[in-house]
Amino acid sequence: MGVFGDGKFTVLEDLIRAVTSIIFISSVGHAAANFAQYDEYAFPPNYPTFLRGKPPTSKDPLTEQDIITSLPVKDMTFDIITLTKILSDRDTNALGYFEVQYMFDPRGTKPVEKLKKRLLEVSDIIAERNKSRPFPYPYLDPKVVPNAISI
């Protein structure tokens, strides 16, 4: 898709849209794609990232042994689990909370404080909704969405 407007920012709103997209993709988008990996993939029979042998060529039922034979060997399974655990880790501060404070001008710090306040409100909403869900979804809670991709 690329950057709208052929990458030319003619008005402030264009710049705001582009920066907002970058922030969203490198924080929320990354969290959505990565943080559930270990929870989903840590039991390889649920989501094997690698299968041995040839895929089935018919819809005939498979035996338990057929399935076990196609799963990765122990060493490979360990590597897969380790990788998904690493990819699921959060190594930077939460969205809006920076490791180093570079901005001191109130024209910049006031909007950041407003953002932090709104993110806490959203976090409270998510926490409340997760109480009644049979399977809570904590991965996009602003308290755990990182500022940046840390791989």
Side-chain angles (χ1 to χ4, degrees):
M1 184 170 130
V3 178
F4 58 90
D6 294 326
K8 297 175 185 166
F9 304 129
T10 56
V11 294
L12 180 59
E13 290 303 314
D14 292 344
L15 178 62
I16 291 169
R17 285 177 56 198
V19 171
T20 299
S21 293
I22 292 167
I23 292 169
F24 184 85
I25 290 167
S26 64
S27 60
V28 178
H30 179 72
N34 284 316
F35 291 160
Q37 285 188 70
Y38 183 74
D39 294 341
E40 293 290 327
Y41 304 147
F43 184 62
N46 280 351
Y47 293 99
T49 55
F50 181 86
L51 291 174
R52 296 180 298 140
K54 295 180 181 181
T57 56
S58 72
K59 295 197 180 230
D60 295 337
L62 298 174
T63 66
E64 183 177 340
Q65 188 58 48
D66 292 332
I67 295 168
I68 290 171
T69 301
S70 67
L71 290 174
V73 295
K74 191 181 343 180
D75 292 345
M76 186 178 285
T77 299
F78 179 75
D79 290 344
I80 292 165
I81 290 172
T82 302
L83 179 62
T84 58
K85 181 65 175 157
I86 290 167
L87 290 174
S88 295
D89 281 346
R90 296 151 184 87
D91 290 331
T92 61
N93 289 349
L95 193 57
Y97 295 87
F98 307 103
E99 282 78 12
V100 178
Q101 179 67 32
Y102 292 110
M103 190 175 2
F104 297 98
D105 188 324
R107 292 177 295 176
T109 57
K110 284 182 182 179
V112 170
E113 291 307 314
K114 183 178 175 183
L115 172 67
K116 287 180 186 179
K117 181 179 178 191
R118 181 64 185 130
L119 289 172
L120 288 175
E121 292 168 2
V122 170
S123 181
D124 290 342
I125 292 168
I126 291 171
E128 190 60 35
R129 289 178 181 172
N130 276 339
K131 287 179 185 176
S132 62
R133 289 187 171 128
F135 301 100
Y137 191 84
Y139 310 107
L140 296 183
D141 183 333
K143 288 182 180 176
V144 298
V145 171
N147 273 322
I149 298 169
S150 59
I151 294 177

